[in-house]
Amino acid sequence: MNKKVIIIEVQSELGAGTPGASFGIDALKIASIKKRSPFFTKHNKVVVLSDNTPMFKKSTSPTAKHIKKIVELQKRVQIAVAKIIREDAFPLVLAGDHSTSFGTIAGIKHVFPEKRLGVIWIDAHADLHTPYTTPSGNLHGMPLALALAIDNTECMENTPDPDVIHLWKQAKKIGTKDAKINYEDIVYISVRDFEKAEEYLMNTHNIKVFTTDDVRKKGALQVAAMTIEYLSKCDQIYVSFDVDSMDIFFAKGTGTAVIGGITPEEAKILNRELVTHAKTCCWEIAEINPMIDSENKTAEIAFDIIKEVTKKRESQ
């Protein structure tokens, strides 16, 4: 395994409802300086161009805010991830808002369209909304729906305008023209905040969920092992870590903080164990928002997790 880790920086902002996620990477760098760590000088990096200027004006697409610019960004993320994988390196993605995780998935599938991809989603939210079901219009709540190439019109609450429908269809085809993942190849860890439309999909398709209580009772090590076992039929695994999976007591610096999450230590163990598995081909962290944090605490916690993940990955 022992592949070179290359950092991808995506200062995405447009998919979130609370401004500030695009500063998450800068907050990590400040944490690195405070801890006198050479992390950001030690590793090669790729910076994906992120145009967040539409945040200065109201979106004209209330069911999929800023979707045109986000689709453009998804394509650039897909290209960056695919390039690093083709170089036989390991992409470690530092993202702003979580919407761009679909671009990461699309990048993996673009290189390996025939391989079955397992997705481990460590997050407070299910992120299964579509423009037809979203209560907010924020695309950071839709990346898994894009990866599944679904609309979920069975739970339709909105009537998207034709431009949104066109762009949504276009987005689904990024990387490969078909769905990137299957419902049975998703594992949620600590998901606890979702709407009826998402719950409908989770129940209908029996998506695997390890709750915070499961992590607490079984232990993070065992949950990591059980997750890998559950995805044993997959050829590859992608791990996506949203910092709001951690309890609001620890992670206040995130746009959609939720009570009842995992602890930083549990998050560290989970991510460390999952990233060291031979099938794991990419790891991503998202949704650090220092604008609503106190003394950059969430970024400091996240940076410790990133260092641990990178160290374990490189030591394999």
Side-chain angles (χ1 to χ4, degrees), residues 59-253:
S59 173
T60 57
S61 309
T63 61
K65 296 174 184 175
H66 310 299
I67 186 170
K68 185 175 186 296
K69 282 291 185 182
I70 291 173
V71 170
E72 292 172 2
L73 178 56
Q74 302 275 24
K75 291 176 181 177
R76 292 195 291 272
V77 172
Q78 178 255 300
I79 291 168
V81 170
K83 184 176 185 295
I84 289 172
I85 291 175
R86 283 197 183 100
E87 292 171 355
D88 201 29
F90 184 88
L92 191 146
V93 186
L94 309 181
D97 79 78
H98 214 176
S99 65
T100 58
S101 58
F102 167 68
T104 304
I105 292 171
I108 297 167
K109 289 296 290 185
H110 183 72
V111 180
F112 299 110
E114 303 303 320
K115 290 191 176 183
R116 187 169 168 180
L117 180 63
V119 172
I120 303 172
W121 206 254
I122 310 173
D123 197 325
H125 306 91
D127 293 343
L128 282 169
H129 274 299
T130 75
Y132 298 92
T133 68
T134 175
S136 68
N138 298 324
L139 265 85
H140 70 168
M142 307 186 198
L144 283 181
L146 276 172
L148 289 160
I150 59 171
D151 296 327
N152 194 18
T153 52
E154 298 91 334
C155 300
M156 187 169 174
E157 295 284 344
N158 311 316
T159 304
D161 63 58
D163 285 344
V164 167
I165 293 172
H166 171 73
L167 287 164
W168 181 253
K169 288 180 179 178
Q170 186 183 75
K172 292 177 189 175
K173 297 178 182 179
I174 294 172
T176 60
K177 65 178 182 178
D178 302 315
K180 316 294 182 280
I181 58 174
N182 306 311
Y183 286 102
E184 61 266 33
D185 297 333
I186 299 171
V187 177
Y188 284 123
I189 300 178
S190 198
V191 66
R192 57 196 184 278
D193 186 16
F194 41 82
E195 282 75 41
K196 288 183 179 179
E198 295 174 301
E199 187 175 23
Y200 167 80
L201 293 172
M202 292 165 71
N203 291 338
T204 300
H205 299 282
N206 197 28
I207 298 177
K208 183 65 176 176
V209 178
F210 288 107
T211 65
T212 302
D213 282 345
D214 290 331
V215 176
R216 202 69 27 86
K217 292 174 182 176
K218 301 176 188 297
L221 275 172
Q222 185 172 351
V223 168
M226 293 170 71
T227 298
I228 294 296
E229 175 60 28
Y230 180 83
L231 296 175
S232 60
K233 293 181 180 179
C234 293
D235 303 303
Q236 295 178 306
I237 292 172
Y238 154 68
V239 182
S240 187
F241 173 54
D242 187 321
V243 296
D244 70 23
S245 60
M246 294 185 288
D247 191 85
I248 190 172
F249 179 81
F250 305 103
K252 293 182 175 68

Side-chain angles (χ1 to χ4, degrees), residues 6-10 25 44-48 77 80-82 84 91-95:
I6 298 180
I7 297 169
I8 300 178
E9 295 184 4
V10 190
I25 296 169
N44 292 341
K45 72 174 181 180
V46 173
V47 178
V48 178
V77 172
V81 170
I84 289 172
L92 191 146
V93 186
L94 309 181

